[in-house]
Structures are given as C-alpha cells and as structure tokens.
Amino acid sequence: MVRRPCRTITALVLVLFAGLTATADAGGDSPAGPPARPRVCLVLSGGGALGLAHVGVLQVLEELHVPVDCIAGTSMGAIVGGLYAAGYSADELTSISLGMDWREMLRDAPDRRDLPYRRKVDDLTYLTRWELGFSGGKLRLPSGLVPGQKLQTALRILALRAADVDDFDRLPVPFRAVATDIGTGETVVLGHGDLAEALRASMAVPGLFSPVEVDGRLLVDGGVVANLPVETARAMGAGVVIAVDLGDPLSSLGRPESIAGILSRTSGFLSRLNVEKSLADVDILLHPSLGGLKLLDFHAAPEILSQGAAAARAQQDALRRLAVDDAEWQRYLGRQRRETPSFEIKAVTIDPGPGLASSVVARSVHSRPGRPLDVEVLQADLKRLHDLGEFETVDFRLIPLGDGWTLAITGHAKSWGPNYLRFGLGLASDLEGESRFNSLAAFTMTRLNRVGAELKVAAQVGESPLLSAELYQPLGPSRVPFVAVGLAGSQTKTQLLVDGESLQYRFGEQRVGLDLGLSLGRYGEVRVGARRDATTGRASPGGGSHPKFDRVDAGVHLDVTIDQIDSVNFPRNGLLAFARYYDALPGLGSDDEYRRLDIQTVAAESIGRHSLVGLLTCTSALGGTLPPTERFYLGGLFNLSGLPPGEVSGSYGGVAALLYLYRLGRLPNFGEGIYLGASAEAGNAWERPSDASLSDLRYSFSLLVGADTFIGPVYLGQGFSSGGKDSFYLLVGRNF
C-alpha cells in the first residue's frame, strides 16, 4: 500500500524530467527570445556651474529613449541626478536650471533693509560686517563663507516630490548621493533619509558652504573623495555605466603660473586621481567641452547645457544600443515621472533652538494648520526667520501625522555663537600731517534669556578712547517694548574758542542712562529715557593756564530712528533718519538748562550704476544756547568738505549735501565695489537763531574715489570750500 504511491510519484518525476530535457534540446532550433535589458546607471560628477551640463545629457537620453535605471551623483551631479530620480523630467530641470538665480544661492546675507533694527545697530558705527564667535575662552569662525540658507530652501522645495520617501531605492529612479565625512575622510554613500539633506550635504564645498550633519556625521562635498562615483553605481547593480566627467585630465593641464594656481592644482590632485582611476570601469564616457568655463559661471547656463547635450550626441551610436521601443519607453516614463503631491498640514511646530522661546519667533511664521501646504507662504516664513539674524540656517521638514502632515520648522543657531565679536578701523588724514586713528571692537552676548536679552560691550582705542556697555531687555515674547540700561566712559578732543583764541580741549565724560522703547521691527525704534553725564575738560597742552570745564549734564530725551537703507557704506536705495530731542533739567542735577534738537538723514536712489545720495544734518538749541561741550560742529568730508573738522561751530546750524556715485565695478576677492563720486554741499553754524541766514551759507564740493572693502569704506578725495579753502582726505570707516 505504501510502495505503490511512491512508484507512481517516481514515474511522474521521470516523465517530467524527460519532457524538460526534450524541450531544452529542441531550443536550439527555435528563435531566441529578447535578451534581458542591462541595468543602465548614470554617474554624474561634481563641478559647480559646470554640473548643469548633466541636464543637457538627460535631454539627449530622453530623446533617444534611453531609460536610466539608477543614478549616482556627487555635488552638482547629485542635485541634478537626485531631482531626476525624484520624478522631474529633463525639460523641467532645464527650466529650473535657466530660471534659478544660482549666484543668489551663494549670497545668504539678507537685504539689510529686512533685518531687525537691533541687528543693524553695529553698522551705524564703523564696524566691519565680518563677525567672529567667542565662547569657552576661544575665538570661533563660521564653518563656511555661506551657511547655505537659500540653497537649502530651494532644495527643500524642489525635493517635496519625494517628501514621503526615506529610502532612495523607492524613488522613481533608485539614487545615491556621495559625500565626505570631514572627521574621518571616509566616503559616505547616502541612500536613505531626507533627499534634500543628502543633496545639500553632497555639495557642501569645504570653506564655501557650511558642513551638514547627517546621522551624527559632519559631511562635506563628495568631490573630495569620489567626484565620479562609478564604484557606487556598480554596487547598485549597474550593468552599463554611463559617466559624465566634467573635469580635465591631469595630462591636459598646463603648468600653473601663480601661487593661486599651484594651490588650486594641489588641492584638486587627489580628487582627480580618484576620478581617473574610476574611468577604467566606465562603459560610456561623456566629456562635455567646457574649456574656459569655471565653477561659478552660472551665467553661462545655456552654453553649459548645450555642451552637455553635444557630448551625449557625440556618443549617440553607443547610446542607441541601450534604447527601448516606444511602448517600453512609455512604461518607463510612467514609472519615472512624478508630480509634487498636495500636503494637508495638520500641525505647525517651531523650534528656535536652545536659549530662545518659540513664542519669540512664532509671529514670523504665517503658515497655518488646517490647510494645504502653501509653498510661497512657507518660503516667506523661512526668509523672515532667517532675516531675524538669530540663525545660521532655518530648515523645515514634513512629518507624517495621521492622514496629514506636521510642518516642523527648525532654526539652527549660529555654530560660532551665541557671543560675537566685530572690529573696525577709523582713520582720517589730510595728507598734510594731520591724522586721526581709532580702532573699535564690539562684543555682543545674545540669548541671555528666553526672550532674547543682549549685553553689548564696545571698546575704542586711539584718538577718542571709549568704553561702553548696554543691557537690552525685551519686555515679553513680542520683543516690541524693551528696556535698556547703559554705561559709558569716553574722551574726545574739541577745538574751543576761548577769549578769542582757538584751543584744543580734551573732554572726559562718564554717562549712565535708562531707556524705555518700542522696537519697530525692521523699520527702526523709538526710545524715551533719562541720562546723566559728568564731564571734565582741560586744555591740551598747557591746561593749567586756561579755563577748566567741570560740569554735570542730566536730562530726558526722545529718540526716533528709521533705518531702511540698504548699505551704510555706499547707499544705493532707502532712507536712514534719526531725530533726538534732549531737555537738560536742573531738577535732575544738570548744571545747565537747555534744549537741543538734532536731525540726521541719509536718502539714496539708484538707476543702474548711478546713485544719488542726499545728506542732511542740523542742530537747534530751540531758542537758547548750547554749553561749549554740546555745540554743533562742521568741517570734514561731506560736512563742508573744504574745511577741516571742527572749523565752524555754533548752537544752531546744519549742512545739506548731494552726493553722486558711479559704481565702476566689483573689487576682486576683498570687497564689494569701487566708486567715483562728487558732492555739492551748503551749510553753516550760528550762535543765535537771529544770526541764521541763507545769504550767510558756506558752500563746498568734493571729488573722490571710494571703495567698499573688507575693512570698511575707504575714501580718497579733495574738498573745496568757498573762501578758497581746500582739504585732502584719506578716510577709512563710515563717514555718514
């Protein structure tokens, strides 16, 4: 009973085996089926602006119906390849490449007019724009010239097509981005996680962009170790590798002719050697002809795209062998193409990082739950948050929440903060032996509490020594009302007319003040407060034989500041206005009773390279006279340019100037611009209001060359004044 079923099964197996054998033997006489299509992997190298050539290559691959089954990319190659893998077509990538302001991506500094006024205060002195960090007893530098805020935001928005994918094998086209671990020098292949973060890490050019932390590793540009990641493509199962190499072979490079050329060649040696080793494992090599174009030549995007397409067409015979028929091509497009989905936002969270309450920055976010994600609103939110000056970068993520999403916005505090140092130089010379020099340093401690209190200490050495400190305390998360307590000690030199003789006096002053104010956001602030000054004045030299000035000045003031100017060095657009009313009151301990009104304005408008800047400064004692230490002084560049500083003084006066600037161009490497200019000025000073008369005005004009350098504005010019006086000027530091 048991053997019979076994014999039957054995017989059936023998019959089946015989049938299979017969079928196999007969196969040689039947037509062969189509061979399996090899897995085609595209390898895209880094190259900055030159990486836009990859888009041209993709255009030709689509024209030839060559499907791409996987992509490995480095740096700009990772961005182009990653977006194609996420579902963008070659035509869409072309529109993005030609429509994006790539140079703006490299300029993270916001428009000065958009900064909160508190972040502009240091600009109103002669401090440079460069900022160092200081903590733990050490100076700290930013980790890159460009934090990468604009690039990061652009990549985040573009990568929304893959917001629901954290495994890059699940993208429409499997993808890998290559980066470098800056701590170990190891190659890091990114195949999962956040696509935008992977793209940003892969092109974090050391020294240019800040590194990106991914899974606890600090990553920089993958081009350092694997600029043409062929090995990564093979690991993805590539049967055929199409590689686009944007670099020049070492054998084609000429002899470097400068130190810069030698350093550049040295830094690129290892990367290029790695590329040339990888070329041996490439099946089809595309090498666009990009001679003469450089890494930052994004303005040449149309030419770069066309050269990429030309390189692919030069290899079209080899590429056609990988093409598929129309039906298969349409099935491929059905898998590869993907639209950006709609994201229903169920919650919005804001994390400003340690030391700052989320309620402080929440008012800058207009994205709201209960509606689909609005990309334009989100972009504006990120810009407003970054413009606060509190963060190195501001990022966002979409996190699944039930049948919707949480919009999580994160502000990353400056890695070199929260304490900052800025320095500045002030130099004035008439080129005839008279000169003045000051050096200023400002130390700012931020995030002292959850609503953003700050302590600012400034020290100046030189002709006018100064030491000051101000504690600035917002009164609540809105940071609109605030209180400020200030202390200062200073010394200045002033020419005074004593018994008909002009004498130089050195005044020492100690000041204490308390202000209440309202922040007007990016527009300025209003302050009302009280101050007390103790002043001593001695003639120098020979102080013993001349009158001494020992006095106390105490009173109340009202300050209004409007700051909407784009630059305090060489303004092109906007308005800067300051008005102060001061009332010295004996009831508060003042030796003198007087009132004073000061107004200063700078207004600029530009067309192309041409700028007109209007300057106005005036002072009034409001019916009385001012003490000797409080007088209004004229003289100096743009302040009756032909007269030396302090030549004219009084209790009433003013000067108006119209300045024309022509921007010649940019300064290479160490500055922003260089200018030619001329000014026309009119003004005077009087002791009593009855003395003031338009017929008594003095007139001046000046000719100058100016440069906006890394140490601040530099002016070289000559001023001429009515009466035949003239003055030469060499100035470093802000002059208006």
Side-chain angles (χ1 to χ4, degrees), residues 495-525:
Q495 291 293 130
L496 293 182
L497 191 64
V498 179
D499 297 330
E501 181 182 3
S502 180
L503 299 175
Q504 185 182 76
Y505 270 74
R506 178 174 287 275
F507 288 93
E509 180 181 272
Q510 294 79 45
R511 171 174 295 182
V512 60
L514 173 65
D515 293 342
L516 292 174
L518 294 175
S519 169
L520 305 179
R522 64 192 179 99
Y523 296 102
E525 69 174 21

Side-chain angles (χ1 to χ4, degrees), residues 41 113 126 138 177 236 314 358 368 435 441 458 544 587 593 597 602 611:
C41 200
R113 291 169 290 185
Y126 56 86
K138 297 181 180 179
M236 297 175 73
S358 60
R368 296 289 181 265
S435 63
E593 183 177 6
L597 177 65
V602 179
S611 299

Side-chain angles (χ1 to χ4, degrees), residues 400-421:
L401 179 64
D403 60 349
W405 300 82
T406 294
L407 172 61
I409 299 175
T410 303
H412 300 284
K414 295 177 180 178
S415 58
W416 59 98
N419 306 320
Y420 307 101
L421 271 171

Side-chain angles (χ1 to χ4, degrees), residues 23 29 130-131 147 153 169 258 290 303 315 323 333 414 429 451 508 528 606 620 648 686 694 697 712 714 728:
T23 302
D29 298 329
W130 305 109
E131 181 181 78
T153 298
D169 282 336
S258 66
L290 299 168
E303 179 184 352
Q315 292 278 10
L333 292 182
K414 295 177 180 178
S429 173
V451 293
V528 60
S606 297
S620 170
V648 179
W686 303 273
L694 293 178
L697 290 178
V714 176
F728 289 95

Side-chain angles (χ1 to χ4, degrees), residues 236-492:
M236 297 175 73
V240 174
V241 170
I242 303 172
V244 185
D245 178 19
L246 302 175
D248 293 320
L250 291 175
S251 60
S252 70
L253 300 177
R255 180 175 179 176
E257 298 179 353
S258 66
I259 293 177
I262 292 172
L263 292 175
S264 175
R265 184 73 55 81
T266 302
S267 64
F269 254 136
L270 294 179
S271 177
R272 187 61 208 173
L273 286 170
N274 209 326
V275 168
E276 297 197 0
K277 185 185 299 183
S278 299
L279 292 178
D281 200 20
V282 171
D283 298 296
I284 300 176
L285 177 64
L286 309 182
H287 197 285
S289 178
L290 299 168
L293 293 172
K294 297 181 175 58
L295 300 180
L296 298 180
D297 286 345
F298 288 101
H299 63 277
E303 179 184 352
I304 295 171
L305 263 71
S306 66
Q307 289 299 328
R313 290 195 176 94
Q315 292 278 10
Q316 63 182 343
D317 289 342
L319 293 174
R320 285 186 194 278
R321 301 189 189 102
L322 304 174
V324 297
D325 59 31
D326 289 344
E328 179 60 28
W329 178 249
Q330 292 304 316
R331 285 192 291 271
Y332 170 76
L333 292 182
R335 298 190 302 271
Q336 188 269 328
R337 296 288 190 268
R338 186 178 188 183
E339 298 296 324
T340 303
S342 176
F343 300 95
E344 187 71 22
I345 302 302
K346 299 293 186 180
V348 177
T349 64
I350 307 167
D351 179 9
L356 204 62
S358 60
S359 56
V360 170
V361 298
R363 62 194 307 217
S364 297
V365 177
H366 297 170
S367 294
R368 296 289 181 265
R371 62 187 69 171
L373 178 68
D374 188 319
V375 170
E376 292 185 359
V377 172
L378 175 59
Q379 286 177 304
D381 289 343
L382 299 178
K383 182 180 184 304
R384 277 190 296 272
L385 287 169
H386 189 250
D387 288 350
L388 292 176
E390 297 277 357
F391 307 108
E392 184 171 359
T393 59
V394 181
D395 201 2
F396 78 93
R397 292 196 181 200
L398 293 177
I399 303 172
L401 179 64
D403 60 349
W405 300 82
T406 294
L407 172 61
I409 299 175
T410 303
H412 300 284
K414 295 177 180 178
S415 58
W416 59 98
N419 306 320
Y420 307 101
L421 271 171
R422 290 175 67 177
F423 299 92
L425 294 175
L427 172 67
S429 173
D430 62 5
L431 304 183
E432 295 179 358
E434 292 292 330
S435 63
R436 301 184 303 278
F437 172 81
N438 289 294
S439 177
L440 179 63
F443 178 60
T444 305
M445 300 175 66
T446 68
R447 299 197 179 197
L448 296 181
N449 56 32
R450 299 281 288 172
V451 293
E454 297 182 2
L455 176 64
K456 186 182 296 293
V457 179
Q460 179 172 282
V461 296
E463 184 192 39
S464 302
L466 167 71
L467 181 63
S468 68
E470 182 188 63
L471 177 63
Y472 180 92
Q473 175 65 65
L475 299 177
S478 72
R479 296 206 283 190
V480 174
F482 65 87
V483 62
V485 180
L487 301 170
S490 63
Q491 290 188 357
T492 57

